[in-house]
């Protein structure tokens, strides 16, 4: 991008970078081909899930909420996973997000 206007005090430049939800197939030979993962830009999304895995089918719809969060069929919220490297082990064990979906 090139800005061709004179730079003066008080000049404001606003940039927008459209980011959308995208699904990627797994490229791991040990993961069944029907599994996929979801991203918001470069952020891997996950579902807070400490029970049985859920499925996300192609017939439903996603709605963007905010801060990289999406809701699927008004019930399943996908949000960016957070890194647990710096957390205490007991806190890290509580962070359980499903990131592969069938």
């Amino acid at each position: 991008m090139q800005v061709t206007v004179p730079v003066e005090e008080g000049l404001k430049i606003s940039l927008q970078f459209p980011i959308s939800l995208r699904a990627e197939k797994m490229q791991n030979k040990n993961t069944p081909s029907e599994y996929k993962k979801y991203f918001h830009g470069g952020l891997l999304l996950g579902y807070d899930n400490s029970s049985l895995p859920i499925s996300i089918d192609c017939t439903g719809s996603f709605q963007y909420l905010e801060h990289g969060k999406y809701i699927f069929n008004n019930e399943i919220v996908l949000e960016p996973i957070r890194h647990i490297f710096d957390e205490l082990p007991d806190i890290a064990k509580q962070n359980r997000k499903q990131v592969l979906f069938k």
Side-chain angles (χ1 to χ4, degrees):
M1 171 194 297
Q2 182 178 7
V3 178
T4 58
V5 297
V7 177
E8 299 176 2
E9 186 176 333
L11 174 68
K12 294 183 180 181
I13 299 173
S14 177
L15 303 174
Q16 294 183 358
F17 299 95
I19 297 177
S20 60
L21 178 71
R22 76 176 193 280
E24 288 186 5
K25 290 185 176 183
M26 287 300 303
Q27 297 180 6
N28 181 333
K29 67 178 182 177
N30 298 317
T31 303
S33 62
E34 69 267 13
Y35 282 82
K36 56 193 163 291
K37 52 189 174 179
Y38 290 90
F39 289 89
H40 174 76
L43 300 174
L44 177 61
L45 304 178
Y47 171 65
D48 275 325
N49 189 8
S50 59
S51 60
L52 295 173
I54 60 160
S55 293
I56 294 179
D57 60 35
C58 297
T59 61
S61 63
F62 286 94
Q63 178 184 355
Y64 183 70
L65 300 174
E66 62 180 350
H67 306 296
K69 295 181 182 181
Y70 293 83
I71 189 164
F72 178 73
N73 285 351
N74 291 320
E75 60 183 271
I76 298 169
V77 176
L78 298 182
E79 60 185 340
I81 63 169
R82 60 179 222 253
H83 293 286
I84 58 174
F85 297 123
D86 297 328
E87 294 181 350
L88 297 173
D90 290 339
I91 295 172
K93 288 178 186 174
Q94 295 171 15
N95 184 15
R96 301 177 64 99
K97 289 212 185 332
Q98 178 180 341
V99 296
L100 296 179
F101 301 93
K102 191 174 184 181

